[in-house]
Amino acid sequence: MKLVRYGNPGQEKPGLIDGEGGIRDLSGHVADFTGEALSPASLARLAGLSPASLPLVSGEPRYGSCVPRPGNFIAVGLNYADHAAESNLPVPKEPVLFNKAPSCVVGPNDDVVIPRGSEKTDWEVELAIVIGSRASYIEEKDALAHVAGFCICNDVSERAYQTERSGQWMKGKGCPTFGPLGPWLVTPDEVGDVQALSMWLDVNGKRMQTGSTRTMVFGVATIVSYISQFMLLQPGDVITTGTPPGVGMGMKPPLYVKPGDVMTLGIEKLGSQRQTAVAWSA
């Protein structure tokens, strides 16, 4: 299934994408994609519905983030060896973890706001994992059973805040609008081999990133199992898993987002996003 949340900010309704690409309203069957609604039993129940029996949504409503604000928004750094190289950093021996602020989550086509005083706002196309059931100290062989689905994340990053302001990376990762998610939450049965998905990102129509989840240092099952050793993962939590090379910081000279720039990005089977960068205003 391709699950969506559609409507104005703060008023999103749950839906699914039918075989013709239309949105079907699921609000008569689930309130939102949180908690128990993401469990294996709930997703199986939704999968059993006939899309034709659900109301067809008219027009072209806004896509919200495919899950509401998560309790935890966790990111994995330097998870592609060639991205580590362009960052002049060694390939990590264990996953590098940091937090993105849950409040940075926005819809896949919403504007990205360049923070006040920023001169180094950057892009990162990433595969994101959405947790479907409670996970604590789970083994790698059991990890995928705790995943509700996958989506695209643009892990927008302010590099000066991240690398030049001392302390943790999260300073440059959690600014408002720095976490576009969606357009769809795609269930694992429809994704197939999650470690074989092509991915790309353009800025103003120019290809910047081309990659594949095949080249992740730590795969999805490893990441979910690893994180569960340190914290309790709960339904609706989001883990974004790292980016391939081609970020602005790695360009020679570096290239960063400015107001008016348009980022388009996509991952095979997960759809695409489009964001326009806008200047911060009070």
Side-chain angles (χ1 to χ4, degrees), residues 17 32 38 56 58 109 143 165 171-172 191 205 239 268:
I17 303 297
D32 207 345
L38 293 170
L56 179 65
S58 62
N109 304 316
R165 297 289 296 272
K171 289 181 181 179
V191 172
I239 305 167
E268 183 182 0

Side-chain angles (χ1 to χ4, degrees), residues 159-185:
R159 302 302 189 184
Y161 299 174
Q162 177 188 354
T163 65
E164 300 171 20
R165 297 289 296 272
S166 181
Q168 300 297 314
W169 286 7
M170 64 179 293
K171 289 181 181 179
K173 295 287 190 171
C175 302
T177 74
F178 272 25
L181 295 177
W184 315 312
L185 171 62

Side-chain angles (χ1 to χ4, degrees), residues 91-260:
V91 175
K93 295 180 180 179
E94 296 186 38
V96 173
L97 306 180
F98 59 91
N99 291 322
K100 287 181 72 74
S103 59
C104 79
V105 170
V106 291
N109 304 316
D110 291 346
D111 290 343
V112 165
V113 178
I114 298 175
R116 182 174 64 180
S118 167
E119 295 182 354
K120 297 183 178 181
T121 294
D122 204 348
W123 56 83
E124 295 189 8
V125 58
E126 303 198 1
L127 170 77
I129 305 162
V130 177
I131 297 298
S133 57
R134 186 180 185 275
S136 180
Y137 298 111
I138 59 172
E139 296 185 29
E140 191 169 324
K141 65 181 178 62
D142 301 320
L144 295 183
H146 295 267
V147 174
F150 304 96
C151 65
I152 302 168
C153 174
N154 187 354
D155 178 20
V156 185
S157 309
E158 211 297 332
R159 302 302 189 184
Y161 299 174
Q162 177 188 354
T163 65
E164 300 171 20
R165 297 289 296 272
S166 181
Q168 300 297 314
W169 286 7
M170 64 179 293
K171 289 181 181 179
K173 295 287 190 171
C175 302
T177 74
F178 272 25
L181 295 177
W184 315 312
L185 171 62
V186 185
T187 51
D189 60 295
E190 189 157 334
V191 172
D193 185 358
V194 72
Q195 301 300 159
L197 304 178
S198 60
M199 52 205 307
W200 57 272
L201 183 144
D202 296 347
V203 178
N204 298 330
K206 181 178 179 180
R207 184 60 44 92
M208 298 297 184
Q209 291 187 273
T210 302
S212 170
T213 58
R214 290 184 186 276
T215 64
M216 289 168 63
V217 178
F218 305 104
V220 167
T222 300
I223 288 169
V224 174
S225 172
Y226 182 85
I227 294 174
S228 80
Q229 310 306 309
F230 302 99
M231 62 184 295
L232 172 64
L233 293 171
Q234 302 192 83
D237 286 350
V238 174
I239 305 167
T240 190
T241 61
T243 197
V247 300
M249 179 177 63
M251 302 287 177
K252 300 187 185 305
L255 179 67
Y256 297 111
V257 174
K258 61 184 183 302

